[in-house]
Amino acid sequence: MDRKKLISIVVPAYNEEECVDELGSRLAAVFDSLPQYDFEAIIVENGSHDRTWDLLQALHARDDRFKTIQLARNFHMDGGLTAGLAYVSGDAAILMTADLQDPPEVIPQFIERWEEGYDHVHGIVTARTGTGPIRRMNSNLFYLIAGKMTDGRIPRNVSDFRLIDRTIVDTINRMEERNRFMRGLFSWVGFKTTGVEHERVPRHAGESKAYTFGVLGFAVRGILAHSYMPLRIISGVGIALSGLSAIALVVLALRFILVGVPFPGFGTLISVMILMFGLLFSILGVLAEYIGLIYEEVKQRPNYVVRTELGFVDDPILDRRTGPAKPVAAVLTSSR
């Protein structure tokens, strides 16, 4: 008898006590609707301050298909995804959010496209309901800028909701970089890719953790980690300003020869100086961001620290010590 294929679901959860039970119920319904597959749900408790961890333990006690990793603190979305992928044992992994904005009911479509031969199936958001105009504007600007600066490697309206084949899971786990923007990494590795359209529904409950300044910082780091375009823009601006300065010098010299001493331009000179200083500090800011990314890489700190794990029969800690990607993780304790 052939072995059933195992599908792993990776879900980071940060302060999602109001969503855990509904998440478990809807995922279990999807699992039961696909009896030809085995499922495991790896929910990464990402340093929550509410009852998320307690509810996840209760969920595991009711259904052992739900496994849990508790991180030592909040390592943000990408740190949670990195931790979950290190524990994946399935033939494919599906990444989604715990707030149920990524509908679990789309999972069968992901698996169907995977069975057609696609290694990477990402969700394409056709509409965002329940979000304000500022958040929608931020998303549109991010995808526009990120797409232009990364040569289209970050597709428009594609979130973290996706299915990746085991081959991609292993490839991502071998990457040891610290500044991880997972959407960019999934696009960078390539493989045969397709998309499934779906509507991004409002949160099931609770408050969004995607605050404007946090999202902005996340977007900046993601773009800089996958693009040298800002550095090239700096070079372009420098060349353009040099050219304009040369032209202005020639014009002023001709004016001096033909007309005489130019008009007193103290205010103009001050304005130009302030403009140039502002431009200079902007350039230094971009360079500082890149230096900060290098600094994070040089420190070689782990992308996440596991405090406790629950529900894993094999020893994933031992497995993590055998692969080349394992310095990116640290584990404090283990409970089964």
Side-chain angles (χ1 to χ4, degrees), residues 10-29:
V10 177
V11 189
Y14 175 61
N15 290 340
E16 297 290 359
E17 63 179 358
E18 297 174 285
C19 298
V20 168
D21 288 339
E22 182 69 12
L23 173 69
S25 176
R26 288 172 63 177
L27 280 177

Side-chain angles (χ1 to χ4, degrees), residues 142 145-146 149-150 153-154 177 179 181 216-234 284-294:
F142 167 73
I145 296 172
M149 288 192 171
T150 60
R153 284 201 303 269
I154 301 178
E177 62 187 79
N179 299 290
F181 179 59
L216 179 61
F218 168 77
V220 169
R221 289 191 299 272
I223 292 172
L224 296 183
H226 290 272
S227 175
Y228 300 112
M229 186 65 70
L231 295 176
R232 293 170 183 158
I233 291 174
I234 289 174
L284 290 176
V286 173
L287 294 176
E289 289 290 335
Y290 276 104
I291 293 172
L293 295 178
I294 296 171

Side-chain angles (χ1 to χ4, degrees), residues 38-210:
D38 286 329
F39 288 91
E40 65 171 2
I42 302 172
I43 304 180
V44 182
E45 194 284 293
N46 205 351
S48 300
H49 304 296
D50 60 5
R51 297 176 55 248
T52 298
W53 173 243
D54 296 332
L55 294 173
L56 289 175
Q57 293 181 86
L59 178 59
H60 169 70
R62 296 194 303 269
D63 188 339
D64 62 7
R65 293 176 296 185
F66 290 87
K67 306 173 183 181
T68 301
I69 306 163
Q70 184 183 37
L71 301 187
R73 65 168 176 83
N74 181 259
F75 286 89
H76 306 293
M77 181 71 172
D78 289 325
L81 290 175
T82 300
L85 286 175
Y87 282 77
V88 163
S89 56
D91 300 284
I94 295 174
L95 283 58
M96 61 178 292
T97 57
D99 58 15
L100 295 168
Q101 286 190 289
D102 300 331
E105 292 74 20
V106 179
I107 289 176
Q109 297 179 52
F110 282 3
I111 297 175
E112 181 179 350
R113 302 312 300 273
W114 175 58
E115 291 288 15
E116 292 174 2
Y118 290 98
D119 304 298
H120 182 191
V121 185
H122 54 236
I124 302 174
V125 178
T126 57
R128 300 175 185 272
T129 58
T131 57
I134 294 179
R135 178 64 191 281
R136 288 196 296 271
M137 181 185 70
N138 290 343
S139 296
N140 291 331
L141 284 175
F142 167 73
Y143 286 114
L144 176 63
I145 296 172
K148 294 292 185 183
M149 288 192 171
T150 60
D151 296 324
R153 284 201 303 269
I154 301 178
R156 191 176 183 86
N157 291 325
V158 172
S159 65
D160 292 304
F161 190 29
R162 66 191 67 219
L163 177 148
I164 54 176
D165 184 76
R166 180 76 222 185
T167 306
I168 299 179
V169 173
D170 293 337
T171 302
I172 295 295
N173 283 341
R174 285 194 294 269
M175 294 182 178
E176 299 184 17
E177 62 187 79
R178 271 65 186 169
N179 299 290
R180 299 174 79 85
F181 179 59
M182 300 301 286
R183 300 178 205 179
L185 292 181
F186 293 134
S187 297
W188 182 87
V189 298
F191 292 94
K192 190 176 180 181
T193 303
T194 189
V196 171
E197 294 185 344
H198 69 93
E199 180 179 333
R200 192 166 178 82
V201 298
R203 289 179 56 88
H204 170 71
E207 296 181 356
S208 173
K209 285 69 177 184

